[in-house]
Amino acid sequence: MTSPDRWTDELSRARLHVVTGKGGTGKTTVAAALALALASGGRRVLLVEVEGRQGIAQVFDTAPLPYSEERIAAAPGGGEVRALAVDAEAALLEYLSMFYNLGFAGRTLRKMGAIEFATTLAPGLRDVLLTGKVKECVRRTDSGGRHVYDAVVLDAPPTGRVVKFLDVTKAMADLAKVGPIRSQSDGVVRLLHSGDTAVHLVTLLEEMPVRETLDAVTELDAADLRPGAVITNRVRPPRLPARSMTAAAGGRVDASRVRTGLAEAGLELDSDILEGLVEETVEHAIRVQAEQRARADLDAVDLPALELPELTDGADTGALYELAELLGEQGVR
Amino acid sequence: MSARARPPLLDIDKLIDDPDTRILVCCGSGGVGKTTTAAALALRAANRGRRVVVLTIDPARRLAQSLGLSELSNHPRAVDLVADDGGGELHAMMLDMRRTFDDMVLAHAGRQRAQQILSNPFYQTISSSFSGTQEYMAMEKLGQLVHDDQWDLVVVDTPPSRSALDFLDAPQRLSTVLDGKIIRMLSAPARAGGLGLKRLVGAGFGLFTKAVSTIIGGQLLADASAFVQAFDSMFGGFRERARATYELLRSPGTAFLVIAAPEPDALREASYFVDRLSGDEMPLAGLVVNRTHPVLADLPATRALAAAEDLERAGSAPLASAVLRLHADRVAVADREKRMLSRFTRAHPAVALIGVPALPSDVHDLDGLREIGHRLAGE
């Protein structure tokens, strides 16, 4: 963990932090930890989810979030994290009621599924509504003209879908050329393609997540969206001395040397236990080598790189603070 | 602590050897190794003498190659099994949702009408990018494979949805969209079809229509309307097929396997899925927990760590102390996995379960799939 390229000043200036990653990499946990880290020292951060999974409520172990911005955690040094689960239907209704007085009719239409229908007719509409709401939160100011949130962290769709989700320009090609949604979406496009936005990629040191990460970086570049940091999650320490690694990965572990060493520490073990230890060692070495290859592939993208360790006790709420602290140590602010 | 709940053991070989098992559905959240499990199960069943087809959805490239699949295809292809395999057959295919949809339209609409539908821009959107289409077409393809009656066993992977439940709900959602009612009301709210709704919501409806057409544009609404009119005549057949497939899933020849990894998110999804399957009276065979890390050496972590510290203090035997430390790491991981699984079992005591120990590296050939098969069978 001595990479020189950690969190940069440029990333600190971003106001919208989009967090994506392949399914199973822990992107919601990392997004929550990032929100806590950014809120440290008295700032206010909004953590947003858009996929209706209630993942934020689960990592903070609270009741499902309503469609409103609720305080969900205090951050070290007097900051706070609020959370919002954006729902496309609610966003559309909120939207329509700003321009048309729908009131009761809106609720009835919702019950009938007419809104689900409208968002289905134009698949891009759903994403435009969701990103539109996020933009509104990022840009919102109080009566004194100050931003209500110092930063917004978006727990975004997984890497396979994220560029399509963020590429509002393309989505809007389906939709009307004029009207309120069009003018709002122009604002979304400006935000997402500006230095105010960074798209962070969460990965594990495994072949598939790394490949998806690399693909996502290429796609982001092609869509003129800015990749932020690569955050490698659940990193486990290599235990074997480097000189033993290659041999062990090839199945060659000097069992008699292990036995002598164990005896020195007062452990006289049965041969089947010793065999088990050797087998565990071989598996460990194969995995570490695969991780080294994965890390080399990641290094090739030349983005700020952060790492979070595997937490043996799992990611409970207490662990989020631990992860946030580790992000802080790597320069996140 | 009270005795840890012991779940019944899931007997994979009994399941795949049973001639009454005709359909195996592998479901679960993304990233848990569903596709690999489906392929490994299919290979094992073929090796044990059955004629099997596996329907994969969006497999990783190297896994697809291991099955001899290089592109999407709408027809199963034979997989070359080595000579010593036990007499069965394995076929594999990768779902092409667009082609499946086109084929359905061609089969259900007259020639002229089919062309009208296929060239409609709205159809092109819905057949390639609506989030429910993949699920719907996976079910349609499953129905066709079963109907072909060429195989003893059909193994299906399910699409990598936002949530595991999407795959049961998406066909219904797509049905709602294709059902002409709402679109007719949107495009002609004043006519008879719209009256009921208009009475319900009053003047708001006109405003809604106006708002919707402002947002999505008049042209799209017109395309959609033309599409639905052309589609209307075949819609009954369409819905009927979706219903028949749903019934097929509930029939005794079907078994669902919920796939998970020993991670909180994946097990939470697995819990939802188990509840949902029982709510819908779908036949659940059990839970497959991929990538477990069982301890291979019976040595308590505390002893291992104490000994490692002794060695490190003495500055000797670095290999032995490394072995002890990595063993202690492994015990901690295994304990955590056991805790999570026992939480699942407390909530679902009757669900049979098998843990599949992780391979140290990724699977991308038939040998790897065969090894996963051994582990699935508890060998």
Side-chain angles (χ1 to χ4, degrees), chain A:
Chain A
M1 311 242 294
T2 52
S3 162
D5 240 1
R6 292 291 154 106
W7 199 255
T8 60
D9 290 345
E10 203 186 350
L11 292 177
S12 289
R13 283 192 293 273
R15 306 205 56 251
L16 172 60
H17 297 268
V18 179
V19 179
T20 181
K22 181 174 159 45
T25 56
K27 95 186 147 59
T28 303
T29 304
V30 171
L34 180 62
L36 276 173
L38 291 169
S40 302
R43 291 188 301 173
R44 185 188 287 153
V45 175
L46 180 68
L47 175 60
V48 184
E49 72 174 31
V50 290
E51 296 218 293
R53 290 175 50 233
Q54 288 293 343
I56 296 175
Q58 282 158 10
V59 297
F60 282 99
D61 198 18
T62 60
L65 301 172
Y67 183 55
S68 64
E69 293 152 40
E70 306 279 325
R71 179 187 169 104
I72 198 161
E80 72 166 347
V81 176
R82 293 190 192 174
L84 167 69
V86 189
D87 164 87
E89 294 193 354
L92 179 58
L93 282 180
E94 183 181 73
Y95 215 77
L96 291 175
S97 66
M98 272 196 278
F99 298 99
Y100 310 90
N101 183 17
L102 274 180
F104 167 73
R107 286 193 296 279
T108 311
L109 286 163
R110 183 177 195 173
K111 265 189 225 141
M112 296 191 54
I115 291 169
E116 168 83 16
F117 178 78
T119 49
T120 305
L121 262 188
L125 176 59
R126 181 175 290 270
D127 295 346
V128 170
L129 287 165
L130 297 172
T131 47
K133 178 67 189 176
V134 172
K135 185 213 83 171
E136 188 267 315
C137 296
V138 172
R139 295 286 185 229
R140 193 188 305 151
T141 49
D142 61 20
S143 53
R146 284 170 39 93
H147 285 299
V148 171
Y149 294 108
D150 295 298
V152 173
V153 177
L154 170 62
D155 179 10
T159 33
R161 290 202 301 267
V162 73
V163 171
K164 201 168 162 208
F165 174 75
L166 296 173
D167 205 355
V168 177
T169 321
K170 212 172 238 167
M172 284 307 289
D174 287 350
L175 304 178
K177 303 289 176 264
V178 290
I181 294 241
R182 163 65 64 173
S183 47
Q184 139 137 348
S185 75
D186 290 344
V188 176
V189 171
R190 274 196 300 279
L191 169 64
L192 293 178
H193 294 269
S194 74
D196 280 349
T197 300
V199 183
H200 308 300
L201 300 138
V202 180
T203 187
L204 305 177
L205 289 177
E206 290 171 15
E207 188 179 327
M208 289 306 298
V210 166
R211 176 165 308 155
E212 281 204 14
T213 301
L214 301 179
D215 290 349
V217 170
T218 311
E219 281 181 58
L220 288 167
D221 284 338
D224 195 26
L225 292 158
R226 188 163 65 118
V230 172
I231 304 174
T232 305
N233 196 18
R234 294 207 209 116
V235 175
R236 291 168 290 191
R239 296 297 191 187
L240 284 173
R243 62 180 182 280
S244 310
M245 198 66 86
T246 310
R252 295 184 306 280
V253 176
D254 188 343
S256 67
R257 197 146 61 91
V258 175
R259 180 187 292 279
T260 317
L262 294 178
E264 215 175 296
L267 284 176
E268 303 283 350
L269 300 175
D270 293 348
S271 63
D272 59 334
I273 296 183
L274 191 67
E275 266 169 42
L277 288 175
V278 166
E279 210 177 317
E280 287 178 358
T281 305
V282 172
E283 286 194 7
H284 173 85
I286 294 174
R287 203 200 66 220
V288 170
Q289 283 201 326
E291 289 176 355
Q292 284 167 349
R293 282 193 299 274
R295 188 176 268 126
D297 289 346
L298 284 178
D299 285 346
V301 298
D302 198 25
L303 288 171
L306 279 64
E307 289 195 359
L308 291 171
E310 165 112 301
L311 297 174
T312 326
D313 293 331
D316 59 7
T317 311
L320 289 179
Y321 284 90
E322 196 180 329
L323 294 175
E325 202 178 310
L326 290 167
L327 288 174
E329 286 167 13
Q330 294 173 68
V332 174
R333 63 182 61 85

Side-chain angles (χ1 to χ4, degrees), chain B residues 25-302:
Chain B
V25 185
C26 299
C27 47
S29 56
V32 298
K34 243 181 336 200
T35 310
T36 306
T37 303
L41 282 167
L43 176 62
R44 187 168 179 89
N47 283 340
R48 294 169 72 87
R50 300 194 76 189
R51 279 179 308 151
V52 187
V53 61
V54 56
L55 169 58
T56 66
I57 320 274
D58 200 18
R61 197 165 47 92
R62 289 169 77 174
L63 177 65
Q65 283 168 350
S66 73
L67 293 170
L69 300 172
S70 52
E71 55 190 17
L72 295 177
S73 72
N74 244 1
H75 300 284
R77 292 190 193 168
V79 179
D80 271 336
L81 301 178
V82 289
D84 66 349
D85 283 327
E89 287 172 32
L90 177 60
H91 291 75
M93 63 170 286
M94 249 191 289
L95 179 73
D96 180 339
M97 70 171 176
R98 178 66 196 268
R99 287 257 306 270
T100 304
F101 210 151
D102 289 356
D103 289 349
M104 254 180 109
V105 169
L106 288 167
H108 282 264
R111 179 107 209 119
Q112 195 191 348
R113 180 150 290 190
Q115 284 315 323
Q116 228 176 337
I117 294 173
L118 296 181
S119 61
N120 182 295
F122 178 67
Y123 170 78
Q124 289 167 1
T125 306
I126 217 167
S127 63
S128 55
S129 62
F130 175 54
S131 66
T133 304
Q134 204 176 31
E135 285 85 350
Y136 196 121
M137 291 307 133
M139 290 301 98
E140 166 63 20
K141 201 73 213 175
L142 168 64
Q144 288 176 15
L145 290 172
V146 172
H147 186 75
D148 286 352
D149 210 21
Q150 288 185 43
W151 292 280
D152 305 336
L153 177 65
V154 183
V155 182
V156 218
D157 174 24
T158 53
S161 314
R162 187 173 51 153
S163 103
L165 304 182
D166 270 4
F167 123 88
L168 286 175
D169 296 331
Q172 183 55 43
R173 280 219 316 272
L174 187 60
S175 266
T176 308
V177 171
L178 296 178
D179 185 344
K181 265 186 288 184
I182 295 181
I183 188 116
R184 269 196 295 274
M185 290 188 285
L186 281 177
S187 48
R191 289 214 305 269
L195 277 181
L197 180 66
K198 197 162 184 186
R199 205 161 40 235
L200 250 173
V201 299
F205 189 73
L207 281 173
F208 179 79
T209 313
K210 193 170 136 223
V212 167
S213 64
T214 313
I215 291 163
I216 64 180
Q219 185 57 47
L220 187 66
L221 207 53
D223 289 343
S225 182
F227 168 73
V228 169
Q229 274 168 24
F231 202 77
D232 209 27
S233 60
M234 58 177 279
F235 182 69
F238 220 78
R239 192 164 42 188
E240 178 51 34
R241 287 174 80 87
R243 200 197 54 76
T245 307
Y246 184 81
E247 285 309 316
L248 187 65
L249 292 179
R250 293 173 60 172
S251 70
T254 301
F256 280 85
L257 284 172
V258 177
I259 320 293
E263 298 292 339
D265 290 354
L267 285 170
R268 202 178 297 118
E269 284 289 322
S271 266
Y272 288 141
F273 214 100
V274 165
D275 290 341
R276 175 64 191 273
L277 288 174
S278 79
D280 282 19
E281 294 170 41
M282 302 262 178
L284 172 68
L287 178 74
V288 172
V289 184
N290 277 335
R291 291 187 222 128
T292 61
H293 299 83
V295 173
L296 305 178
D298 184 14
L299 174 68
T302 45

